[in-house]
Amino acid sequence: MELTFLGGASEVGASCTLLQVVGRKLLVDGGMRPAAREGQSRLPDLSLLDKQPPEALIITHAHIDHTGALPLIASLLPHIPIYATESTRVLTEVLLRDSVRIMEQEHLRPDGETPLYNAEQVDAFLGRIQVMGFRQPFAPLAGSPDITVQFIPAGHILGAAMLFLETPEGTLFHTGDISLTDQRTIKGLDINALPRADVMITEGTYGNRSHSSRKEEEQKLAATVQAVLARGGRILCPAFAVGRAQEIILILKAYRASGKISPVPIYLDGMVRSVCDVYQQQSHDLQPTLQRHLVNGRRPLFADPQLHVFSVRSFERQGLVLHTKPKMVISSSGMLSGGASPLYALDIAAREQDCLLFTGYQDEESPGYALLNAKQGDRIRIGEQFVTLNCQVTRYNLSGHADSNQIQAVVSKVQPARLILVHGDSEALEALSQRFKHLSVAIPNVGTTLSITPTAKVLVSSATSQRAMHADALLPDVTPLLAEGDPVQDMPSPTLQALWEKAHTHGPFRPWTSVELGQHYYGPDYRPALRSLIEQVLRDATTHFKLGRLGAQTTYQPRASEAIQRLTPLIDLEPGEMVFVQGQNASPQIALVLSAPQDGTLSLVADQWKQAQRPLNVIQLLPGVRRPEWLTLAPGEIKQQLQAWRKQLDNCWIDLFICWERAQGQPFTYVQLCTQVADEDERLAWGLELLAHGRELFNREGESWLPLESEQIEKNPGFSQHLALIRAGVGAAVTVNDQPAILTGKSSWRLFEIQWQAGPTAGQHHKVRSANIRLK
Ligand SMILES: [Zn+2]
Ligand SMILES: [Zn+2]
């Protein structure tokens, strides 16, 4: 067996390995170096293929450091078969089309490099990929049925595979890129399902690192995001389009849904958008929980405008960049070296309250690296432009790669006799090799060829296997990511008024979550367990907050002070009381309260509704009238009683213009009006009239009705005519359609009662619209 490393050896980038076995040649991956240094080729060393052209090509996963050179390689080898998993094929299509587009744009610049391949070559390459399922051994080389390959899920990103090769010269296990940690999108690799192999090639990206717990890292990230949003800042997460971006989206959505992050919108931009579509389309390769979410929730996984996760359309981008409202933007590329993320970064970097939040590897040449290593006030180049760094720059590790302990656990399962470390810088691979002193370990460079003679298997020494067991014990814990702990002791419960004051002071025009309210109320003493206490207080929040939904959680938008003044008395309502109800733009009704308010609602029967649970804010006025005796009736019977009563009320002569004139510019409340009216019917009729037409003559502020200025009223010819008739008084002589009549002194909204003075109807009464009456 012979292995030649064309790229991806002692480096991250341009992964490409040639395997020769029993005279047959197989190529694994053909990546590029997306951020190649000056003088460095973006391609693997393809000259090494001249004398030994491969006869088949196998792709581990779609990332550009494994696929970026493939259209070129495939066009140089037009007849060889190409194999990948289905998801890898679809993702590769998105990535390579984007890569062509970028190369063509760069080519237009004066110093731009020549594109490595064109769109036709990409299409031809994609058309040749044969899709293979996971765990289905296939023989990639015609005429060699004894050489088989199997794709095994690698955890890393959608469709990512490890390769297990069985050959007459022994078995080979190639990890590609692996993750053991369960990510939100993809389950970590199943360590128990790993085969033993004679030779193992493993990635070592984080060979000298141990990851902190994923859960802790997510929590720290969420806390930072929340701190930025709370100070009114914006967040840009430059993210690798495939894998990392989807993780961040799901993390932010989850923390926002649980209330730990403010309910501000999330925007997705750059290639991230189309990759999200692929992830959703290939849902069978995702975490089972996400598959269930799609089936049961029937909601999109990523962009979901109803949940305020928006895909930015290119024409909207510029507006969004300049818009300074708190928001979260997730955009590729992850190193700010291209795509849409640099556009956002230029604006965000300059603004103190904003934040650039990195989660992935940064190449030393990239703007992302420069920003992470810069001091406040430094001038940084992003693309063609320079910006002064004023914003917060931070980094969290959401790696999709195994760390050193995890790699060790994998190696101890596979138990190879020969171990080859690739896909990592020399330092990481050197550190990793120290863990395998009892194995024959190689760290090849680009151009290295390793000859591996079939040998008896080297037994793993007892010392190593003990260490291996220890490594097993270090596997990631998969406790629920959002578990909450900490008992609460003797924490005082806030009042609704206190929560409202916090919200009203710090964010009067936006919805708040219960967790945010808790955090503002308790400050640093806030514990997750206090959430239920806060939510208990918020059960009757309708008087102080407008309730909304964001996904599964309730949001609380503080009401204006006058609205609170109006709604607060409603808390004391008792069954048997009469109230007025009026929804938005609906006509007012009289209603009987059946149950005291609870959780911001109460049970009512109204003259036009059946019994229903209604929010407190439909209740408009309290006439102080009670009908407790009706509580024993069936709701249908109550409704009949109310309808009969309503008919009577509608026939009352109530004239709001008289009320307006008497008020003489002074505000009054409905309660004050009621104290001047002894009759219950009349009180109710006044209430109905105020609700039906009051806003045409008064400004309503909470409980107060403030008469509009005379000028404003008199300006309306209909209104001034009505007022003139009132002022003319009882017995005033008028004509209606030229027939003589007198006013009886009864009037209501734009109507007067008249008594005919002549003709066959003389002496009779009639209701006439004020517009049809002329004063003599
Ligand atoms: Zn990868
Ligand atoms: Zn890679």
Side-chain angles (χ1 to χ4, degrees):
M1 194 184 284
E2 217 174 77
L3 290 162
T4 304
F5 298 89
L6 288 70
S10 300
E11 65 172 340
V12 176
S15 283
C16 190
T17 309
L18 182 71
L19 165 69
Q20 282 202 62
V21 63
V22 290
R24 308 294 309 259
K25 290 171 284 291
L26 261 172
L27 193 67
V28 177
D29 291 343
M32 72 166 158
R33 297 180 183 95
R37 283 175 201 90
E38 284 273 327
Q40 192 184 28
S41 168
R42 282 185 286 170
L43 291 171
D45 187 354
L46 299 181
S47 68
L48 295 167
L49 297 181
D50 290 346
K51 290 192 185 118
Q52 39 189 359
E55 298 158 278
L57 170 59
I58 299 171
I59 309 168
T60 61
H61 69 288
H63 274 151
I64 212 80
D65 60 320
H66 299 255
T67 59
L70 288 178
L72 179 64
I73 296 174
S75 67
L76 297 172
L77 302 161
H79 303 297
I80 69 168
I82 305 170
Y83 303 93
T85 65
E86 188 191 21
S87 294
T88 295
R89 195 189 68 76
V90 197
L91 282 176
T92 304
E93 180 172 347
V94 175
L95 280 163
L96 291 182
R97 287 194 201 287
D98 187 68
S99 153
V100 166
R101 202 178 46 76
I102 291 170
M103 287 192 292
E104 281 168 359
Q105 279 172 1
E106 274 176 6
H107 181 51
L108 297 177
R109 289 197 204 133
D111 57 344
E113 288 179 50
T114 314
L116 299 174
Y117 41 82
N118 58 31
E120 287 74 51
Q121 282 166 296
V122 170
D123 287 346
F125 159 68
L126 292 168
R128 284 167 58 193
I129 297 178
Q130 298 181 41
V131 166
M132 292 293 157
F134 283 114
R135 303 187 189 287
Q136 289 168 0
F138 59 96
L141 297 161
S144 291
D146 50 355
I147 299 176
T148 61
V149 177
Q150 199 183 136
F151 285 134
I152 301 172
H156 178 60
I157 58 164
L158 184 82
M162 305 181 281
L163 307 180
F164 180 56
L165 283 90
E166 292 179 278
T167 80
E169 291 182 26
T171 50
L172 170 77
F173 185 71
H174 191 316
T175 63
D177 291 359
I178 47 170
S179 169
L180 276 75
T181 308
D182 273 344
Q183 302 180 69
R184 283 180 183 260
T185 47
I186 307 287
K187 265 182 99 59
L189 69 82
D190 179 1
I191 193 143
N192 295 312
L194 296 177
R196 291 190 174 191
D198 303 322
V199 181
M200 175 171 176
I201 303 175
T202 183
E203 69 132 316
T205 322
Y206 290 113
N208 54 351
R209 291 260 304 266
S210 21
H211 296 329
S212 50
S213 116
R214 178 70 168 224
K215 184 179 145 192
E216 277 173 27
E217 209 62 16
E218 282 194 6
Q219 286 171 341
K220 281 191 253 167
L221 179 148
T224 298
V225 167
Q226 182 52 22
V228 175
L229 296 178
R231 64 174 183 244
R234 304 170 295 173
I235 290 142
L236 171 67
C237 304
F240 299 113
V242 180
R244 200 65 46 83
Q246 288 70 34
E247 286 296 309
I248 299 170
I249 296 165
L250 294 184
I251 291 167
L252 294 179
K253 277 176 88 170
Y255 277 86
R256 198 182 60 173
S258 72
K260 292 176 179 169
I261 289 182
S262 299
V264 306
I266 301 172
Y267 294 95
L268 316 180
D269 204 351
M271 209 201 337
V272 170
R273 297 163 300 174
S274 36
V275 174
C276 283
D277 292 343
V278 172
Y279 263 63
Q280 171 143 331
Q281 170 201 329
Q282 297 294 111
S283 61
H284 50 270
D285 281 337
L286 296 179
Q287 275 274 16
T289 44
L290 292 188
Q291 296 181 33
R292 282 198 294 277
H293 171 92
L294 272 174
V295 174
N296 301 336
R298 300 199 181 141
R299 298 216 61 82
L301 290 178
F302 303 102
D304 186 351
Q306 251 180 291
L307 296 188
H308 298 255
V309 185
F310 303 98
S311 234
V312 180
R313 288 167 289 185
S314 25
F315 69 87
E316 297 167 327
R317 185 173 299 138
Q318 202 50 43
L320 192 63
V321 165
L322 299 174
H323 204 254
T324 52
K325 263 195 176 174
K327 64 172 75 67
M328 305 176 256
V329 179
I330 300 156
S331 177
S332 45
S333 76
M335 300 194 256
L336 296 177
S337 48
S341 59
L343 291 171
Y344 294 95
L346 279 169
D347 202 60
I348 279 178
R351 202 163 162 262
E352 225 171 291
Q353 58 268 62
D354 291 350
C355 177
L356 282 167
L357 198 155
F358 292 92
T359 55
Y361 176 81
Q362 302 296 319
D363 191 273
E364 278 183 34
E365 306 290 308
S366 65
Y369 185 90
L371 280 161
L372 274 166
N373 290 285
K375 294 187 302 293
Q376 296 285 309
D378 283 359
R379 293 287 285 170
I380 304 290
R381 183 184 169 141
I382 300 175
E384 300 296 303
Q385 294 185 50
F386 284 85
V387 65
T388 302
L389 175 64
N390 289 322
C391 80
Q392 181 184 357
V393 182
T394 179
R395 180 183 196 167
Y396 293 97
N397 176 20
L398 302 175
S399 176
H401 290 274
D403 71 3
S404 52
N405 288 325
Q406 293 171 329
I407 296 170
Q408 188 174 359
V410 171
V411 173
S412 68
K413 270 279 179 200
V414 177
Q415 298 189 18
R418 292 293 304 268
L419 177 65
I420 300 153
L421 307 179
V422 297
H423 200 289
D425 60 36
S426 306
E427 220 172 296
L429 300 182
E430 211 45 71
L432 188 59
S433 74
Q434 296 307 310
R435 292 177 174 243
F436 308 108
K437 288 194 172 144
H438 302 273
L439 292 177
S440 156
V441 181
I443 302 175
N445 288 310
V446 175
T448 303
T449 297
L450 295 175
S451 292
I452 298 158
T453 44
T455 47
K457 194 158 179 98
V458 179
L459 283 170
V460 181
S461 77
S462 62
T464 317
S465 60
Q466 262 183 16
R467 201 168 54 188
M469 276 172 65
H470 176 62
D472 267 348
L474 288 172
L475 285 181
D477 89 67
V478 282
T479 46
L481 290 165
L482 294 173
E484 306 199 323
D486 289 356
V488 203
Q489 286 157 353
D490 308 325
M491 291 300 250
S493 192
T495 61
L496 190 58
Q497 181 70 22
L499 293 179
W500 175 83
E501 276 164 17
K502 286 280 171 204
H504 195 256
T505 317
H506 296 285
F509 305 115
R510 69 169 176 91
W512 292 63
T513 64
S514 56
V515 174
E516 274 187 287
L517 289 170
Q519 284 170 338
H520 266 80
Y521 181 77
Y522 290 107
D525 292 335
Y526 181 78
R527 304 275 175 283
L530 285 165
R531 183 176 177 180
S532 58
L533 202 66
I534 298 284
E535 283 174 354
Q536 189 70 29
V537 176
L538 289 169
R539 278 164 60 120
D540 289 320
T542 357
T543 50
H544 288 65
F545 296 89
K546 220 186 247 164
L547 271 47
R549 307 280 309 155
L550 188 95
Q553 86 176 308
T554 308
T555 57
Y556 304 86
Q557 161 120 35
R559 290 188 189 278
S561 328
E562 27 326 332
I564 294 173
Q565 187 199 344
R566 187 173 78 70
L567 289 171
T568 307
L570 304 183
I571 288 293
D572 300 324
L573 276 175
E574 282 172 12
E577 278 191 73
M578 294 295 301
V579 294
F580 292 101
V581 297
Q582 188 177 32
Q584 249 182 351
N585 304 322
S587 59
Q589 302 179 59
I590 50 171
L592 182 75
V593 176
L594 298 184
S595 70
Q598 207 186 358
D599 292 349
T601 65
L602 76 179
S603 185
L604 294 166
V605 187
D607 61 48
Q608 286 157 48
W609 300 333
K610 294 186 198 133
Q611 179 188 0
Q613 202 69 28
R614 297 282 168 172
L616 278 180
N617 55 355
V618 301
I619 296 178
Q620 291 295 332
L621 299 173
L622 307 177
V625 176
R626 298 170 53 80
R627 285 291 180 276
E629 63 274 20
W630 287 357
L631 289 173
T632 55
L633 300 178
E637 292 171 313
I638 300 175
K639 190 177 159 195
Q640 280 173 12
Q641 296 278 2
L642 292 172
Q643 283 174 332
W645 201 359
R646 174 68 190 257
K647 230 178 229 160
Q648 222 171 296
L649 299 175
D650 287 344
N651 285 327
C652 285
W653 290 101
I654 297 289
D655 195 335
L656 275 190
F657 284 93
I658 296 175
C659 184
W660 174 83
E661 199 148 59
R662 280 195 195 142
Q664 294 192 327
Q666 295 305 308
F668 62 93
T669 66
Y670 175 60
V671 175
Q672 288 169 344
L673 194 66
C674 285
T675 55
Q676 298 160 20
V677 182
D679 183 59
E680 281 190 346
D681 277 14
E682 214 176 304
R683 275 195 236 163
L684 288 174
W686 272 110
L688 285 171
E689 197 58 16
L690 263 179
L691 291 175
H693 303 293
R695 285 174 193 278
E696 298 188 49
L697 302 178
F698 306 93
N699 259 328
R700 184 177 179 180
E701 273 175 24
E703 290 299 88
S704 280
W705 300 82
L706 180 69
L708 294 176
E709 302 281 340
S710 299
E711 278 169 34
Q712 209 175 332
I713 301 295
E714 306 273 4
K715 198 159 66 181
N716 180 323
F719 287 6
S720 64
Q721 157 80 353
H722 193 99
L723 283 166
L725 292 171
I726 290 173
R727 287 165 190 157
V730 187
V734 294
T735 58
V736 178
N737 298 331
D738 294 332
Q739 297 299 310
I742 55 162
L743 298 178
T744 65
K746 290 178 177 171
S747 61
S748 60
W749 187 252
R750 318 288 301 274
L751 283 178
F752 277 83
E753 190 187 54
I754 51 112
Q755 188 180 35
W756 298 110
Q757 295 296 300
T761 53
Q764 287 183 20
H765 294 92
H766 203 127
K767 264 187 199 173
V768 181
R769 286 180 57 77
S770 42
N772 297 331
I773 305 173
R774 298 274 164 277
L775 275 168
K776 268 193 179 164

